[in-house]
Amino acid sequence: MEQEVRLQKAEQMYTYSCDHNFGKGLSRAWGLNSFRLVEQAMDADEFAYLTFIGLHRFHSMSAHQRNFAYAFTNKRIIMAQMRSFWRTRTESVPLNKILNLSFDNDSSIGVVKIMLANDAICVGMAQESVTALSQKITELLPLIQEYAQQLPATDD
């Protein structure tokens, strides 16, 4: 495994996503603005080590919540979207609430599925991006599990 990255700034997160073929979003400006929301959502001791862009809550090409910026941090997955007229959406899921991560790239678009106890967050991406992301997440899985185990247990 390559040395762990520690991304804290929007520019770093967007560049990482683009450089690794994990998505570019609508434009550079959109990507930077959406990752800026991720940056603002992070705690002072929090950092991202994997970022990507995809179609949030993907069901089909006509049923999704448009592009979101995603960041795996040492505490959670942060999902953020800059919308028109400076409207924003931000969600997060603690790493210890993720039950499984799966990938499907057999259809015309690839899907990353983040399984939670009462929900599944599906992210649509180009097939090449899902393939690259699945390889990277497989490589980082021990690190993701280590960070998840460091989090305090919470009652649901």
Side-chain angles (χ1 to χ4, degrees), residues 96-141:
N96 60 358
K97 296 300 179 194
I98 299 169
L99 301 178
N100 192 25
L101 296 165
S102 65
F103 306 90
D104 175 14
N105 59 355
D106 293 336
S107 60
S108 61
I109 192 163
V111 176
V112 178
K113 188 179 277 189
I114 304 165
M115 296 297 300
L116 309 171
N118 297 317
D119 194 11
I121 300 169
C122 295
V123 182
M125 302 174 76
Q127 285 183 343
E128 315 81 59
S129 295
V130 166
T131 299
L133 185 62
S134 69
Q135 291 170 350
K136 189 62 169 179
I137 287 180
T138 299
E139 179 184 317
L140 292 174
L141 193 56

Side-chain angles (χ1 to χ4, degrees), residues 48-136:
Y49 53 89
L50 174 65
T51 61
F52 60 98
I53 295 171
L55 299 173
H56 191 61
R57 299 212 179 258
F58 181 86
H59 297 285
S60 70
M61 284 306 294
S62 60
H64 55 76
Q65 295 178 6
R66 299 189 181 156
N67 277 311
F68 268 62
Y70 297 82
F72 273 80
T73 77
N74 53 318
K75 296 180 179 184
R76 56 196 165 150
I77 298 176
I78 301 173
M79 303 158 267
Q81 178 190 55
M82 177 59 71
R83 299 174 68 190
S84 57
F85 304 109
W86 296 99
R87 294 178 299 155
T88 63
R89 293 186 59 200
T90 305
E91 299 176 33
S92 70
V93 175
L95 293 178
N96 60 358
K97 296 300 179 194
I98 299 169
L99 301 178
N100 192 25
L101 296 165
S102 65
F103 306 90
D104 175 14
N105 59 355
D106 293 336
S107 60
S108 61
I109 192 163
V111 176
V112 178
K113 188 179 277 189
I114 304 165
M115 296 297 300
L116 309 171
N118 297 317
D119 194 11
I121 300 169
C122 295
V123 182
M125 302 174 76
Q127 285 183 343
E128 315 81 59
S129 295
V130 166
T131 299
L133 185 62
S134 69
Q135 291 170 350
K136 189 62 169 179

